[in-house]
Amino acid sequence: MSSFSTFSRELDWNLLKVFHEVAETGSLTRAADNLQRKQPTVSAALSRLESCVGAQLVERGSRGGTLTPKGRALAQLAKRVCETTEAVSDTLLSAQAAIYGYLNLLVISNMIADDFDRALESFHATYPHVEINVGVAPWRDVHDALLRRETDVGIAPAHFFHPKLHYRELFREVYVPYCGCNHALYGRHAEVAELRDAYFVLTEGDEPEDLQRFRYEHGLGTYVGGRSAHLEEAKRLARVGVGVCFLPNTLAEPDVRKGHLWPLLTAEQSPSSQLYAIAHHSSVTKLTTRMFIDLLHDTFASRARGAI
């Protein structure tokens, strides 16, 4: 028993996978192709396995390899090991599909992010029995709901990290000032100072602190033409000429293409706010919450690395 335990601990089980491919194909070259490795690498792995078991397993020849009696015996065991490994993978996938429950999300209004949509699609495909519920609220209400544990995950900006909440960075949302096609500044790229005397449409509770700070620093919004905490309605007021409005550039982009809105500053000149996936520390222990946050973070991180 002692010698077997030592053997099993020291054996590199990946060598059995290589040997199984050699036994199935009868060729080191074909095995290397199937494993997407170089032939010398496969040959070296086979030699290591033979050294580990203390016996020749394959008689090499110009036309390939022939299994020795001990090689044929080990080939049967290697086949069972590989089949068991595949069964483990299938079992885990089945376990994922069998997860039931709820995932409650609360996001800021009119957040347009393809990676968020992609993460939702992937999560549902992997865990089809988890019911996904999505609500919309101003960013302060998102934080309050998380602290009251009324939702599992929030997507919102954060300007300080509450000790009871868990944060994962997602992306930066850029807020550009836009005007409608009948505005005096339409068609021009203005300087920030030119906007001080303009009437503004304010988004009130939906306005991130980074944007509010930018307005205060540059004296923007002293004159108010309209207000709406709903970004779609604020955008409507800007479109019909009630005033200039800071909007997420992803939200305004379709109207810009149609000529209904005009960006008065470039994205580089405009304020931005970091968005996070946020959860209460106690909620992160919930399986569906933890899996979704990890998936969401990985999806955005992959795009940032250019992998998607």
Side-chain angles (χ1 to χ4, degrees):
M1 179 65 70
S2 175
S3 62
F4 175 77
S5 298
T6 301
F7 170 77
S8 63
R9 285 197 303 269
E10 294 179 353
L11 175 64
D12 182 349
W13 294 91
N14 287 320
L15 300 180
L16 287 180
K17 179 180 179 181
V18 174
F19 176 65
H20 171 67
E21 199 65 41
V22 171
E24 289 291 304
T25 61
S27 165
L28 272 65
T29 301
R30 286 198 295 273
D33 290 340
N34 291 347
L35 294 169
Q36 295 185 332
R37 300 182 186 179
K38 295 182 178 179
Q39 193 271 340
T41 302
V42 171
S43 181
L46 181 57
S47 296
R48 285 176 56 202
L49 181 61
E50 289 177 328
S51 177
C52 186
V53 300
Q56 184 179 2
L57 302 174
V58 177
E59 292 181 354
R60 281 78 157 176
S62 58
R63 295 187 178 181
T66 303
L67 296 179
T68 65
K70 288 187 178 181
R72 287 194 295 273
L74 185 58
Q76 294 300 316
L77 293 174
K79 182 178 182 180
R80 291 207 295 270
V81 168
C82 291
E83 289 174 346
T84 301
T85 303
E86 292 177 0
V88 169
S89 177
D90 292 341
T91 299
L92 291 176
L93 288 174
S94 298
Q96 287 180 330
I99 291 176
Y100 290 79
Y102 298 88
L103 178 66
N104 298 307
L105 308 177
L106 194 59
V107 304
I108 57 173
S109 68
N110 298 102
M111 185 187 73
I112 300 174
D114 291 342
D115 290 329
F116 181 67
D117 297 346
R118 189 177 292 108
L120 286 172
E121 179 182 12
S122 178
F123 185 84
H124 174 68
T126 307
Y127 310 106
H129 303 300
V130 175
E131 180 181 308
I132 302 173
N133 302 308
V134 183
V136 176
W139 68 267
R140 290 182 178 86
D141 292 349
V142 173
H143 283 253
D144 291 343
L146 288 164
L147 289 170
R148 293 192 299 266
R149 305 183 193 181
E150 294 174 352
T151 192
D152 297 318
V153 180
I155 310 296
H159 307 288
F160 68 95
F161 292 157
H162 196 286
K164 292 184 178 180
L165 299 180
H166 171 84
Y167 301 82
R168 299 290 294 274
E169 286 189 5
L170 297 181
F171 70 104
R172 296 197 70 85
E173 193 163 56
V174 180
Y175 301 91
V176 175
Y178 294 91
C179 67
C181 59
N182 57 357
H183 195 279
L185 294 176
Y186 185 88
R188 291 180 50 200
H189 290 296
E191 297 297 327
V192 177
E194 294 182 74
L195 305 181
R196 289 175 184 161
D197 295 329
Y199 278 86
F200 271 80
V201 175
L202 302 183
T203 54
E204 302 196 305
D206 233 12
E207 183 178 66
E209 285 190 3
D210 293 306
L211 170 52
Q212 188 178 77
R213 190 180 305 113
F214 181 89
R215 286 200 304 103
Y216 289 170
E217 287 176 357
H218 294 282
L220 308 181
T222 302
Y223 304 103
V224 179
R227 302 176 188 266
S228 180
H230 301 283
L231 290 185
E232 281 290 348
E233 296 309 314
K235 183 174 72 168
R236 186 201 304 273
L237 292 176
R239 199 167 54 225
V240 300
V242 172
V244 174
C245 185
F246 280 94
L247 296 167
N249 57 351
T250 51
L251 175 64
E253 191 175 301
D255 288 272
V256 172
R257 288 198 301 267
K258 294 176 183 177
H260 297 159
L261 289 176
W262 177 261
L264 294 169
L265 299 177
T266 66
E268 291 73 24
Q269 293 174 296
S270 302
S272 64
S273 188
Q274 178 69 50
L275 266 63
Y276 297 84
I278 313 170
H280 196 281
H281 280 301
S282 63
S283 298
V284 178
T285 60
K286 181 181 172 185
L287 183 60
T288 52
T289 298
R290 187 172 67 253
M291 291 187 301
F292 181 73
I293 288 178
D294 288 344
L295 174 62
L296 192 60
H297 177 265
D298 291 346
T299 302
F300 276 94
S302 295
R303 172 59 64 89
R305 291 192 302 266
I308 296 181

